[in-house]
């Protein structure tokens, strides 16, 4: 269990920053492209910083969905729900994919007090955890943050229509 | 057996991105140049992201043809056929070349349920798999996606004529 | 116990420098984004240099808060109070977080003569050390430097309103 | 025995690409400068991609001459002769130099069916292989491709006068 | 004992060069920022090259003060005094700090014939060596080179007012 | 004994190339700055490529003088004298410095047929080798190439006045 965070800042410089602390910046850039193309949250011109709490380093794709939602949450100023754990790999088409040892991770999350999990379709959640199955990133954004759209290059990030 | 994906985005910045997650970005840039010069699918001004599913890392050239077709598919919004496996190295002239252990790979693909294979000329497919032999990238694009052309710098990727 | 310093220079070049000697420049860039967004000290267009005294190298997030305050201090020309030790990780929302072995670090600081500590909420300070608990970076800036604001892109760093 | 290929594309971006797959991009840049200065084939403004077939990696200078001729061939759309093997290091003055174990390499080439070899002066070819001795890159281009000239910055690569 | 040198050239390109041979270029950039802000020797727009004689590589901060003075000397065309050894770390506020084994280094300098040492306050010099104690970089510049000021961006380096 | 070569090309791009094959590009950049400032051969706006023959890699400063003279030779189109070996480190002031095992290197050069050596002052040459002692880079250029001057930014390299 790791905690990822994102910070979205109106980009002032020629090429926007994708800066990861504990996260691969290349993967972050790719996830932001998916977020723009597949879920209508366009941060292509914003500076986006992402970080894993505690100085940890994460290299496996199970953190993809959490990272994308953290960026969408930061851009829209809508917090993610309390007690929600997010697990899943993202495909470039926006589809949410399962990852190894997903059930074991959810069991650990249950022990830590999480009561809901945003997960790939077909995931079996442990007792006490509600599984919110999402098939693609657009679904996941709506389930976690409500109906949002951050549109278009040149606008300030965080605008919601 | 790995799954590669590509995402093509209209490039907004001075130098277009070639970003690979699990794939060498230099090789991706080279394959896109071949795709433009030899197969009429010009993505030289688009941002192209490619990824290997599952967080794997691929360094051998047998994935060349699949990667080029994934980019062409993403640019034209035409999906690759279901049940199709793609194997082959690409030369800079656009020719499709055989790779080591090709028959073993196709046998594995057959076990996983693939029923057709886009492969270099002379490949022997296992029972239950139809071998579609292609000699160059242009052939491969037409066999997999139909007659497509993405033309020219400055136009939006994904346009098909 | 390490000593971190920052130097803020009016940025003259297209992309501002974030240069760390003994500190990860990526982490420095992220902390400056947090400082601008969450604490009203905007150094996004300034060149910022940070250094750890003695040629040491620091990689753990417990130095986050000290680094952010060193930058704010340099930008406003207000020195940090004498005898103050600063410990804490910064989240991207500006929240100050606890770090491992915080009590042991404060005990060492007490031995070295520090008499006050800017720390995350709930920290127990050793005898002789006053614990100033701060919940977020804005609090920390005010407690350490007073009411300051460095506003806006394009202005000279160090201006205080 | 390795096979090298080059692809020359009209450069559209501020700094032209020198991209090597299996070949050092710095060495490629240097060889293109020699090709422009010493052999009249000016690709300084073109994007040039080079690749070693089979995913191999080559680091020794014996491949210099082959790489330069592959680029000249691609730029002029003239194929290199069938059955020709090319071996030699290039000096910055354009001179073709011998490399270690040259005779052993030619013997291997003979076994593989090559019947002619473009080689440094004084090379002894094995039976069945005609040695075409060339003293400098200009000679080599003429012997392999005929009289060609690709002139000048800003023109499309591949133009032949 | 190492010998460091600096060369200051009027910068012609968009971002000035900080190039170190045997010295970390990041540290050099930081020291030049300190030199500009704290000692009135502004080389922010000049190209600065620094080198350690003999092909050695130096990574400890005791060389900071010598490096900054070498740059100031090169910029003002005033040689540093003969027989002077310089030791000290620089803080970002311009303060000169002691370094480990300073006395042992000065003893070695005395054996090599140095007769004066520019050192941090409180340093005990060996017999035959005059200790010139300096508390900050501005002091050090004045003691070593006299009253100098290299002012302002855009002017040629080496101008002295 | 290694052979170094340089190629100087009129720079067409915003920042001039310093490209080394077997030689550190940072060191090459520094030597070209010394060549411009101390010997009147200004290649600061030219693209300069340097290479060590045979695919070798050189990291010691004894090659400095040879590299600088190779660049000056290439820029002026004046060949270095036949039978001349060049050894020496360059200081940033343009001074030529001795290097370890200089006599042993000259003895090896004598065995290989070299009859003259451009060397630092005080060098003892073996029988059969004339020692041409040079104290600084300007001396070395004049002794090896005659009176040359390549002046000024923006002019084509290779112009001689």
């Amino acid at each position: 269990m790791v905690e990822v965070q994102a910070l979205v800042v109106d980009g002032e410089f020629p090429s926007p920053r994708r800066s990861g602390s504990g996260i691969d910046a290349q993967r972050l850039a790719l996830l932001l492209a998916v977020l723009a193309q597949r879920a209508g949250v366009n941060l292509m011109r914003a500076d986006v910083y992402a970080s894993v709490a505690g100085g940890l380093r994460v290299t496996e794709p199970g953190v993809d969905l959490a990272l994308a939602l953290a960026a969408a949450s930061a851009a829209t100023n809508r917090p993610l729900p309390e007690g929600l754990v997010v697990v899943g790999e993202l495909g470039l088409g926006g589809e949410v994919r399962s990852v190894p040892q997903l059930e074991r991770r959810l069991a650990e999350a249950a022990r830590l007090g999480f009561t809901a999990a945003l997960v790939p379709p077909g995931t079996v959640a442990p007792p006490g955890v509600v599984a919110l199955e999402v098939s693609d990133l657009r679904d996941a954004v709506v389930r976690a943050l409500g109906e949002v759209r951050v549109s278009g290059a040149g606008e300030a990030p965080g605008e919601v229509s």
Side-chain angles (χ1 to χ4, degrees), chain A:
Chain A
M1 294 291 300
V2 298
E3 178 183 350
V4 296
Q5 293 186 308
L7 175 62
V8 176
V9 181
D10 200 7
E12 300 178 359
F13 300 104
S15 30
R17 297 192 181 210
R18 276 85 181 86
S19 178
S21 190
I23 285 168
D24 178 42
Q26 293 287 317
R27 189 75 189 170
L28 176 62
L30 182 151
L31 293 174
L32 294 174
V34 175
L35 194 64
Q37 294 291 304
R38 309 301 184 197
V41 178
N42 189 333
L43 307 179
M44 298 305 274
R45 286 184 177 275
D47 291 338
V48 181
Y49 301 82
S51 178
V52 181
L56 300 176
R57 174 144 213 94
V58 179
T59 59
E60 56 91 35
V63 80
D64 283 355
L65 184 58
L67 201 46
L69 289 179
S73 164
T76 57
N77 272 325
R78 298 193 190 181
L80 290 163
E82 292 284 316
L84 178 70
V85 64
V86 179
V87 188
E89 180 181 353
L90 278 174
L92 295 191
E95 71 276 18
V96 177
R97 299 175 164 214
S98 193
V99 297
Q101 303 189 299
L102 182 45
E103 268 78 17
R104 202 175 58 76
R105 297 189 201 195
L106 294 182
E108 186 189 345
R111 268 201 315 277
L112 294 169
F114 289 91
T115 54
L118 210 63
V119 288
T123 306
V124 178
V129 174
V130 176
L132 307 172
E133 299 182 28
V134 287
S135 60
D136 63 41
L137 181 56
R138 183 77 201 144
D139 286 354
V141 169
V142 172
R143 290 294 281 271
L145 298 172
E147 191 65 43
V148 300
R149 187 160 292 271
V150 177
S151 64
E155 301 182 16
E159 292 192 353
V160 182
S161 69

